[in-house]
Amino acid sequence: MTDTLLPNGIEDSGGDGKHFRKGCNPLAQTGRSKLQKQRASLNQQIIKQMRMRAGAENLLKATNNNKVKEMVVLELSYVNSNLQLLMGQLEGLNSSVDVYQSAEETTNIPLIALGLKETKEVDFSAPFKDFILEHYNEDGRTFEDEIADLMDLRQACRTPSRNETGVELLAKYYSHLPLIENRFFSPMRQTGIFFTWYDSFTGVPVCQQNLSLEKASMVFNMAALYSQIGTRSDRQTIVGLQEAISSFQRAAGMLSHLKATFTHIPSYDMSPAMVSMLIQLMIAQAQECLFEKIALPGVQNQFTSLIKMAQEAAKVSEIYDQVHQLMVQTPIKDNVPLFWSTMSQVKTNHYQAMAHHFLASALLDHELGPNDDEDQQEKTLSQVYDQLPEGCSPLGILKNKDERERIGKAHIRRAILGHEEALRNYSLCQHLEKLEALQEILKASHRRSLDKYSDYDNEEEFVDYIEAPDIISKTDHKAEMELPAATKVKVTDFFQRLGPLSVFSAKQKWTAPRKIQVCADDRDLGFTLKGEAPVQVVSLDPLSRAATDGLKEGDYIVAVGDKDTKWMGVSDMMRLLKDVDEEGIEIQVVSVIDNSPPMPTKSATFSGNLPKTYSMICLAHNDEDKSSKTRKVIKKSSFLSWGLKNKMKSASTLSLPTDDHSGALSWNKPIPTFPTSSAYNNDNFLH
C-alpha cells in the first residue's frame, strides 16, 4: 500500500492486529459509526422496495387482466407503506443530533450535523486492466498493485475518522479523481464502471458511469465531516468554540464549492435549492457559536455591553429565521426532517427572546447618571431601533425613568412570549423531546425572563402597555464561508508509470509500440528531438536508417533498449543516445492516432434507465471542419502534377466543347476536388 497504515488497537479472533489507512477505522464502535451502519442498511431496504414498486407499476401498465390489476394495486399499497416506514426511520437517523454532540455538552443547545452519503463498493480491477491493454498497449496485470491501492483508498473513504485526518483522507481521494478521469475515462467509450450513491435524506440511489457524481459526493461528505467536527467540539472552552466556528465555516465553503462546480447532479441532497439551504444552516450554526464565544467569559452588566449582546442575539435569530424560511419551501420541506425545521424555528424564537431580555436589562437596570456619556448612550440606543413608538425618542427614553421602565418592561414581556413560543414548538416534535438538555435550557431562559419581569411588575400601578419595537440585528463577528485548504491536496498519480498525463491520457490514442533500429552515421542519428517528457522526433532525414526502419516525424520515444523513457526530457535522452555507434540500438516509438470520427453517428443519453437516442446522420458536412493538414494537402499540388494541372487549366479555358465523353483525352478526365479515402488511409499521403 502506498499510504500510511496505522494499527487500530483491536485484535481479531486470531489475535493478529488489523491495520487501516490513516484517517480511517471501519471497526470503530462509536455511536456515529453505528448510525452510519443503520443508514447503509436502510438504504439497501429502500432500494429493494423501490425496485418492487417499479416492477409492480410496470406490470400494472402491461396487464389487461382485472384480477391481476387488483392484486398489483394491493401489493403497491403494501410497498408504499413500507417505503413510508423506511423513510420515517431514515428521518429519525437524520434527527439523531445527540450522537454527534460532545460528551461534555450539557449546557449548550445541540447543533445539527450532516450524515455521510453512503455508496456501494466499486471494482476497478477488470475494467482498468482491459483499458490499459487496449488503450495503452501495456499489460494491465503489471498494474494490479496500483489498482488495489486505489480501491483501498476509496473503501477507506467510506468510514473516515471524525477529525482533520479523516477530511484529508477524503480530500486525497478527491484529488486523485481528476487523474483517474484523464487516465481511464475516454469520451469515445464507456468503461462499464457504475458509481452508486444514496441520497442522504431520502435513501434513493443514484447511479452514473462518469466521475461527476463521485466527485460531488466526496465534496458533500467533506462538508458533512466538517459539520460533525463542529458539533463534536467542546463549546465550554474558547478553543473548542473556535474549532466549531472554523468547522462550520469550512462546511459552508465546501457546500458552496459543490453548488458552484457540480450543477447537474441528479441527487436531491445535492440540488441547488437543498445545498443553498445547507449553506445557510452551516453559517447560522457558525454565527451561533460566535455568539457563545462572546458570551462565554460572561456579559458585563453595563449598558453598552448589554445593548451589544442584544444585537448579537438578534443576528443569530435573523439567520435562523432565514434557514427556517428555506426549509419550509415546497421542494425542500418534503425531504428535510421535521426535526431540522422545528429546531431552526425554536432557535429563532429563543435568540429573539434573548435579544429582548438583554435590551430590557440594559433599560431597567441602568439609569443615565451624571458621569455617563449621554451622547454615546443616545447614539447606541438609536442604532438599536428602526422605528420607535410614537412620541418616543432615544434621549427621551434615557432621561425619563418612567418611559425607560415602560419600554424595558415591554421588551421583557416580548422575551417571555418568545421563550413560551420556543417551548411550544419544542413540544410539537417528538425527536426534540428526547433532547433533555435543550428543554432545560429553554425552561431556564423562560424562568429568568419571568423573574426579571416580576422584579418590576407593580400590580397596583396602572400602566399603558405598548408593543416593544423590533431590534436591529448587528454583529462585529460575522460568520463567513471558508474554503479549506484540504481540497488542494497534492497527490502522486497511482498510474504514473503509464507516462506523463499531458500526453498519455484517455483522450488520445496511439499505435502499438514499434521497434526501430537507430544507427549513428558520423555521430548523426538522422533526426532531432524536441519537447519535454516524452520526447518527440522532428527533422527526420528520410534517407536515414531509422526512417527506412519505420520512424516518422512526430513519433514519441517510449523506450531505449530495455529502459523506459516516457518521463525523460531531451537532455536525458541525448545523454542516453550519445554513445550509439554504427551497430545501433533498438528504440520503441508510438504514433498518435486521430481518434476523432469524421462523422458522429449517434449520441445517446439515459434518463430514468430509458435510452433516448438522437440520430445525427442528417448533419451536413462542413468543409471548414477539416484538419489543417488536409487543407494543406488539397491546396498544395506536387511538383509532378504541375504540368498536368496547367494543361487542364489551359484546356478548360481555350478548348472548344466536344461530343467525345469517352475520356480518351487525359486532360478531359475529371480531377477529384478532395483526396479519396484511399489517400487518407495511405501513411505516405501526409509526408
Side-chain angles (χ1 to χ4, degrees):
M1 299 298 174
T2 60
D3 225 354
T4 305
L5 300 181
L6 297 177
N8 68 343
I10 303 174
E11 293 188 352
D12 58 12
S13 57
D16 297 327
K18 289 187 175 293
H19 293 77
F20 306 113
R21 281 183 179 270
K22 185 179 180 181
C24 161
N25 191 348
L27 297 184
Q29 297 298 316
T30 62
R32 185 180 65 99
S33 63
K34 293 178 181 178
L35 202 67
Q36 283 299 129
K37 290 177 182 177
Q38 294 177 32
R39 185 189 298 275
S41 176
L42 282 176
N43 287 335
Q44 294 297 324
Q45 296 178 56
I46 288 173
I47 190 173
K48 180 180 178 181
Q49 294 297 323
M50 290 187 67
R51 286 172 177 168
M52 292 177 62
R53 185 174 69 177
E57 289 174 346
N58 291 335
L59 180 59
L60 192 62
K61 294 177 183 177
T63 185
N64 293 323
N65 190 314
N66 292 331
K67 189 172 183 179
V68 173
K69 285 186 176 181
E70 291 177 2
M71 294 175 62
V72 172
V73 169
L74 182 62
E75 184 67 26
L76 272 174
S77 65
Y78 286 130
V79 171
N80 288 329
S81 298
N82 290 337
L83 273 174
Q84 290 295 327
L85 290 173
L86 292 172
M87 295 288 188
Q89 294 179 34
L90 188 60
E91 180 180 348
L93 293 184
N94 288 325
S95 304
S96 302
V97 296
D98 53 324
V99 175
Y100 299 102
Q101 310 303 311
S102 172
E104 296 81 12
E105 201 64 65
T106 56
T107 58
N108 291 94
I109 299 179
L111 299 171
I112 295 174
L114 302 180
L116 297 176
K117 287 175 69 70
E118 287 291 332
T119 182
K120 286 185 176 180
E121 292 186 15
V122 175
D123 187 0
F124 295 109
S125 183
F128 278 12
K129 287 180 184 178
D130 292 343
F131 192 86
I132 291 172
L133 179 62
E134 296 173 13
H135 188 80
Y136 294 100
N137 298 294
E138 296 197 29
D139 188 357
R141 292 172 296 181
T142 61
F143 290 87
E144 287 182 349
D145 290 342
E146 289 84 349
I147 297 173
D149 284 340
L150 175 63
M151 293 174 61
D152 180 64
L153 178 59
R154 188 183 189 275
Q155 183 66 19
C157 289
R158 299 179 66 183
T159 54
S161 55
R162 189 168 48 160
N163 49 36
E164 284 289 342
T165 308
V167 176
E168 290 176 5
L169 177 68
L170 299 183
K172 183 173 184 178
Y173 179 65
Y174 177 73
S175 299
H176 272 291
L177 290 178
L179 303 176
I180 299 301
E181 185 174 30
N182 288 329
R183 289 286 190 194
F184 297 101
F185 289 81
S186 169
M188 306 304 298
R189 57 171 286 182
Q190 296 290 344
T191 59
I193 299 174
F194 290 89
F195 299 95
T196 302
W197 288 85
Y198 296 91
D199 191 299
S200 61
F201 294 104
T202 64
V204 176
V206 177
C207 183
Q208 282 190 352
Q209 290 196 64
N210 58 49
L211 283 172
S212 297
L213 178 63
E214 187 88 347
K215 293 177 185 177
S217 299
M218 279 296 114
V219 175
F220 184 94
N221 276 0
M222 280 190 273
L225 208 54
Y226 272 122
S227 72
Q228 294 178 14
I229 294 173
T231 56
R232 183 211 57 182
S233 303
D234 183 8
R235 289 150 62 199
Q236 296 301 309
T237 64
I238 294 293
V239 175
L241 280 169
Q242 189 56 50
E243 181 187 33
I245 294 165
S246 178
S247 297
F248 286 122
Q249 290 182 148
R250 290 178 178 181
M254 293 302 303
L255 291 169
S256 178
H257 176 67
L258 172 64
K259 181 181 177 183
T261 309
F262 305 98
T263 56
H264 300 290
I265 301 300
S267 182
Y268 189 76
D269 55 356
M270 294 187 287
S271 64
M274 181 65 78
V275 173
S276 297
M277 184 276 294
L278 294 177
I279 292 172
Q280 197 67 16
L281 174 62
M282 296 299 113
I283 291 295
Q285 296 190 141
Q287 193 67 51
E288 182 180 6
C289 293
L290 281 167
F291 174 80
E292 293 176 351
K293 183 181 176 182
I294 298 171
L296 184 62
V299 181
Q300 295 182 353
N301 192 15
Q302 297 177 355
F303 181 82
T304 305
S305 298
L306 292 170
I307 293 291
K308 179 181 178 182
M309 291 302 297
Q311 291 187 295
E312 291 282 354
K315 185 64 177 180
V316 178
S317 174
E318 179 185 63
I319 300 179
Y320 269 113
D321 183 55
Q322 295 171 1
V323 173
H324 181 256
Q325 294 304 319
L326 291 173
M327 287 184 178
V328 297
Q329 297 296 322
T330 303
I332 300 177
K333 69 178 182 180
D334 297 331
N335 297 288
V336 168
L338 177 64
F339 170 88
W340 286 24
S341 58
T342 307
M343 175 69 90
S344 63
Q345 195 172 14
V346 167
K347 290 188 176 183
T348 299
N349 295 324
H350 174 71
Y351 284 104
Q352 186 183 52
M354 288 186 66
H356 286 284
H357 182 92
F358 281 123
L359 188 52
S361 299
L363 294 174
L364 295 174
D365 298 345
H366 299 277
E367 295 183 3
L368 186 62
N371 297 327
D372 293 331
D373 190 340
E374 181 180 305
D375 294 337
Q376 180 62 35
Q377 288 199 11
E378 180 186 9
K379 180 180 178 181
T380 302
L381 189 61
S382 64
Q383 293 175 349
V384 173
Y385 299 120
D386 188 23
Q387 185 177 1
L388 283 169
E390 187 177 354
C392 295
S393 66
L395 187 59
I397 295 174
L398 291 173
K399 288 186 174 182
N400 190 327
K401 180 180 178 181
D402 294 337
E403 189 68 17
R404 188 170 185 149
E405 185 173 317
R406 188 165 73 102
I407 298 295
K409 291 173 71 175
H411 280 294
I412 202 66
R413 284 196 299 272
R414 193 162 173 184
I416 293 171
L417 291 175
H419 288 307
E420 290 175 350
E421 184 67 14
L423 285 166
R424 186 185 72 83
N425 290 324
Y426 167 84
S427 63
L428 294 178
C429 182
Q430 60 176 351
H431 295 293
L432 276 177
E433 291 180 348
K434 300 176 183 178
L435 302 177
E436 297 179 358
L438 175 60
Q439 185 182 25
E440 291 300 322
I441 292 171
L442 296 178
K443 287 183 176 180
S445 300
H446 184 228
R447 285 195 301 268
R448 185 179 60 177
S449 295
L450 287 173
D451 294 341
K452 174 66 71 174
Y453 186 76
S454 64
D455 292 341
Y456 291 91
D457 185 30
N458 187 354
E459 296 181 357
E460 299 179 358
E461 180 182 0
F462 176 77
V463 180
D464 181 18
Y465 289 104
I466 63 170
E467 181 72 21
D470 293 331
I471 301 173
I472 297 176
S473 64
K474 181 183 177 183
T475 180
D476 296 332
H477 310 277
K478 185 178 179 181
E480 299 283 354
M481 291 183 294
E482 177 185 340
L483 186 62
T487 58
K488 301 177 182 179
V489 175
K490 291 184 178 181
V491 295
T492 302
D493 185 6
F494 282 130
F495 301 92
Q496 62 179 345
R497 285 197 291 126
L498 291 173
L501 192 57
S502 58
V503 176
F504 297 98
S505 68
K507 295 180 181 179
Q508 299 208 46
K509 190 170 179 61
W510 310 268
T511 61
R514 308 191 310 275
K515 295 181 179 180
I516 306 293
Q517 189 70 22
V518 175
C519 302
D521 185 8
D522 195 17
R523 301 186 61 84
D524 182 14
L525 298 175
F527 58 86
T528 58
L529 304 174
K530 74 168 186 177
E532 299 179 356
V535 297
Q536 201 171 9
V537 175
V538 293
S539 302
L540 176 65
D541 183 0
L543 302 179
S544 64
R545 169 70 185 277
T548 41
D549 212 16
L551 187 66
K552 302 176 184 178
E553 286 198 20
D555 284 351
Y556 290 97
I557 301 179
V558 296
V560 175
D562 296 331
K563 189 175 184 62
D564 190 299
T565 60
K566 295 190 189 77
W567 287 95
M568 279 193 180
V570 173
S571 57
D572 294 332
M573 183 65 72
M574 293 305 295
R575 280 195 293 269
L576 196 62
L577 296 175
K578 69 177 182 178
D579 296 329
V580 175
D581 53 17
E582 294 181 356
E583 295 182 2
I585 190 172
E586 187 179 75
I587 66 172
Q588 293 187 36
V589 298
V590 294
S591 303
V592 176
I593 299 175
D594 184 10
N595 59 353
S596 58
M599 188 62 187
T601 56
K602 292 182 179 180
S603 175
T605 60
F606 291 86
S607 177
N609 296 326
L610 297 177
K612 299 179 180 179
T613 305
Y614 303 92
S615 176
M616 299 180 64
I617 300 177
C618 59
L619 296 180
H621 285 281
N622 186 356
D623 295 341
E624 294 178 359
D625 292 338
K626 293 183 178 295
S627 65
S628 58
K629 289 186 177 181
T630 306
R631 288 199 297 267
K632 183 176 180 181
V633 171
I634 294 167
K635 294 179 180 179
K636 184 178 179 180
S637 301
S638 66
F639 175 77
L640 295 177
S641 64
W642 180 82
L644 177 60
K645 181 176 180 182
N646 280 275
K647 286 182 180 180
M648 278 295 305
K649 183 176 181 182
S650 176
S652 63
T653 54
L654 299 179
S655 299
L656 295 176
T658 176
D659 292 333
D660 184 7
H661 300 288
S662 62
L665 298 177
S666 61
W667 52 81
N668 284 336
K669 292 182 180 179
I671 301 297
T673 306
F674 298 99
T676 63
S677 59
S678 60
Y680 280 111
N681 295 328
N682 190 348
D683 290 340
N684 297 323
F685 180 77
L686 298 180
H687 298 283

